[in-house]
């Protein structure tokens, strides 16, 4: 596996703070009078979710799933495995699936099919980031933070081989030649 280090900053800490607040306000308005079950996808979405739910003014529950679609690679393996399932059933609940980033959309397509089969009252997607590949998807996210160019990024929860999740901004990954 190649070593990498953070490169150019694509989204600053200030931009993240402002946009995450806006998303929280938008979701709160749309879900007025409903209780929302936020389903987070570990581990990348954790920082986003922690900030996002602080801006929800509707009642909310929180549950997590862990799936694996990437190893130390920067390209989708096409294989999605559930490493941790939800703690509780979602039948009859208003589920908001919260993702860090949608790239090929393979992970999302799998999760949407899986969650839809559990009979939620409603099911929507909120993603902090998208890359251009997701436009081929049949299911589009209702809430999007930022559209990024087709580059691998790290920070604010996103990793490369488990590193750089702690950066307060989103930066490109610079791969060093072996
Ligand atoms: P997809 O299945 O190609 O849409 O990728 C889904 C998952 O791969 C995301 O939820 C991330 O965990 C990871 N991923 C995709 N692109 C990036 C990236 O640029 N940086 C870090 N992780 C990524
Ligand atoms: Mg992820």
């Amino acid at each position: 596996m190649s070593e990498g280090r953070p490169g150019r900053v694509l989204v600053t800490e200030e931009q993240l703070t402002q946009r995450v607040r806006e998303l929280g306000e938008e979701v709160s308005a749309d879900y007025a009078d409903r209780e929302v079950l936020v389903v987070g996808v570990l581990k990348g979405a954790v920082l986003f979710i922690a900030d996002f739910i602080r801006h929800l003014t509707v009642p909310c529950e929180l549950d997590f799933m862990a799936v694996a679609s990437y190893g130390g690679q920067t390209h989708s393996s096409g294989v999605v495995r559930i490493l941790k399932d939800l703690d509780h059933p979602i039948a009859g609940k208003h589920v908001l699936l919260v993702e860090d980033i949608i790239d090929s959309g393979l992970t999302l397509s799998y999760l949407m099919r899986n969650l839809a089969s559990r009979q939620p009252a409603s099911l929507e997607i909120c993603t902090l980031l998208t890359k251009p590949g997701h436009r081929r998807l049949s299911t589009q996210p209702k809430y999007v933070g930022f559209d990024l160019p087709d580059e691998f990024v790290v920070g604010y929860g996103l990793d490369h081989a488990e590193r750089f999740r702690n950066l307060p901004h989103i930066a490109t990954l610079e791969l060093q030649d072996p």
Side-chain angles (χ1 to χ4, degrees), residues 17-36:
T17 302
Q18 190 193 329
R19 189 72 188 115
V20 171
R21 172 189 297 272
E22 287 168 4
L23 287 173
E25 289 169 355
E26 205 181 320
V27 167
S28 298
D30 289 356
Y31 286 79
D33 305 321
R34 287 187 287 170
E35 172 155 0
V36 56

Side-chain angles (χ1 to χ4, degrees), residues 69-70 99-101 103-107 131 152-153 158-159:
S69 59
Y70 282 74
E99 261 282 22
D100 50 358
I101 188 165
D103 181 7
S104 70
L106 283 169
T107 311
K131 289 203 260 184
F152 197 86
V153 292
L158 289 100
D159 72 304

Side-chain angles (χ1 to χ4, degrees), residues 42-88:
L42 296 172
K43 299 176 243 180
V46 162
L47 275 72
F48 172 39
I49 289 168
D51 290 338
F52 167 75
I53 64 173
R54 279 180 254 208
H55 298 292
L56 292 182
T57 53
V58 290
C60 97
E61 293 180 304
L62 181 59
D63 206 343
F64 288 100
M65 283 181 88
V67 297
S69 59
Y70 282 74
Q73 313 289 314
T74 55
H75 293 284
S76 182
S77 63
V79 177
V80 179
R81 274 189 306 138
I82 292 189
L83 304 179
K84 183 217 169 290
D85 205 349
L86 297 173
D87 289 339
H88 302 289

